[in-house]
Amino acid sequence: MEEELRCPACKQLFMNPVLMPCYHALCIGCAVSLQQPACQHAQQQVAAAVAANHPQPQPPGAAAGLPGAVVPTASSSSSSDTASDSAVGEHDYPDVDKLSILSETDSGVVCTSRPNSYVGTPNLQGVLLFPPHAAALSLTCPVCHKVVYFDENGANNLPKYRAMNNIVEKYSDSKRLQMKFTQRVPCQLCAEEPPRQATVKCEQCDVWYCDPCRESCHPARGPLAKHALLDVRGPPKGSPARPTPALDASRCAEHADEPLSLYCMLCKVAACPQCVLQDSKHASHDVQAITAMCKAQKTELSQNLQQLSEKAKCTTEFIHRLKGLTDKVTENSTAFEGAVETQCLQLVAALEARKAQLLDFVRQEREMRLRALREQMTLCTARLQQTTALLQFCIEALKETDSVSFLQIGSMLIARAANADLTWHKDFSSAPRVSPEFDLTLDDKAVLRAVEQLNFIQMKPPAAPTIIPEECSAENNSVTVAWQPPPTSYVEGYVLELDDGCGGDFREVYCGKETICTVDGLHFHSLYNARVRAFNSTGEGPYSECIGLQTAEVAWFTFDPNTAPPELRFTDDNCTVTGDGYEHRVALGSVGFSRGVHYWEYTINRYDADADPSFGVARIDVNREQMLGKDDKGWSMYIDRQRSWFMHGSVHDQRCDGGIAVGSTIGVLLDLERRQISFYVNDEPQGPIAFKDLFGVFYPAISVNRGVTVTLHTALDPPSDFEES
């Protein structure tokens, strides 16, 4: 807490601290040295305001007081004061400030619309503060730069900061006692051996000095003058001693025999009963018992400290976590360095292997060319030997003197020489078969570019996404899953997976870049588990935590007008259908079923004598241009006023007596647990089980023609006889 105990002006521990209206503290000596005449401060404010609103050129050096600067003289001070007061009254304060300054009903220090000034009538903790036009001295807080005005006593009017003085005294005694029992510390800058004992320690430099080294290496001037030196020997002789708390601090200064037992809530000062009863300065003020107020403020401070302590505790834990992260960073950095070194060694090994392959190719090329040259040399040598032998033989034959003997072989030698000359260019080439030059260049530009571009990119699969439970939902037979991207990973897309609603295997239902997905067409009354993972070019990351989503227990659906023929007309939010043509047309429900038990009903709103509507289920690709049950994609019961039949694939079966009229109810019970369908008329079974061995996905279906209007009712419980069975 030492920073709290230092004066913001002298940077030393507080000496006789006083409390300013802004609740910042100063040493009384610092406060006195910082105060200045109020008129001088007003002149500075006026000059600043005029310079800001009406900037005018100044001669060089005017701001620094150099030759050519305009400096007011003592003879013009009175006129300057008058001008400044007039300027303050006319320019510096708006109308609201004037009212606040002149009002006699103000209590306490009033902060004007100028946030750097305190004006108004008293008083804060018993200190009489004057408005600027009546003040003699002013003091600017070095911390918040707000200004307070005084009479001739100046800063001596400020109250003594007793709590701060007591805390500083305790802190100094404990620090001095600690230093006294600390083992002898040598000077850290002494050139002598052994070094002299240190006498002071600079808290900013964190260096121990003896007196000679402090004078030579750490003089109290320039930037070093603001450093705090802690003297292990205690305060020097002749220095002012810290005042001890007054023995009569709990007694009234004006009524010595009276204890300060009351506290004025408006003036923020302690008072005795005489001050409240006899003096008028606390008249009509809210006065409370000082012990009760002290207890209340201590309780409030304790509560605030508890909250602040929790924040400090969280910050400490966060710092420990950061320290743990530094260790983790070091560990991961070492592992990553090893991985990079391994990869680079692998690249070097691959380059060495390629180098060996290229050099082997060069050697093979050299051997091939040398072999070709040797073969050509062998052929040329053999040819040359044959030609040389023929030449030598012909020369010897020319030396023959016997004409008969020469003519015997002359024609033969002429033919051989002519033939050798003719075949010379055919059998012998004057150019080498291979070139001694290697017309090959190693293409290393791409590799060099690759080496130059070798850099770090995101080469790890992304982390697991986070599912957002409050944005996930299930409605009817569809579920919506939302998730957050992993915070520090590069993601190219996501894969959403659902199980089968019975705790079975997961299967992929979505792959893309969105972070929210709705899956339709699920089973009713099923608990689906969903999970998601992210992927990038490196691979797929881990799965997120699973979330369970429960679909509706019973099915709610309507007719689907998007797949219906144009001859059908839908009303009542697609729950009522009317046939406008003479031929039957099929309408399907908006959901399909492949599991569970489902029951829905139809109410006959209008019915002509020649109509026979058909009710049942169908595949999604049923023929909608004919009666339901005419093809093998529909299973139906068609009924008139007297009887009904079951029909599938144009085959009629199971005729049952009992028909329908306006107001009748037809129920359809689809039991996909047993793979069968039954029908009810007016809550009574209509014949036996209509169809069995039903596998796949089935949609509620109906076919009507002209003269029939039917309303659909869904989300119903099965009939009571089914529950009993």
Side-chain angles (χ1 to χ4, degrees), residues 22 45 97 110-118 144-147:
C22 57
Q45 284 191 326
D97 289 312
V110 179
C111 183
T112 70
S113 58
R114 296 175 299 137
N116 63 336
S117 299
Y118 285 103
C144 62
H145 304 291
K146 293 182 179 179
V147 182

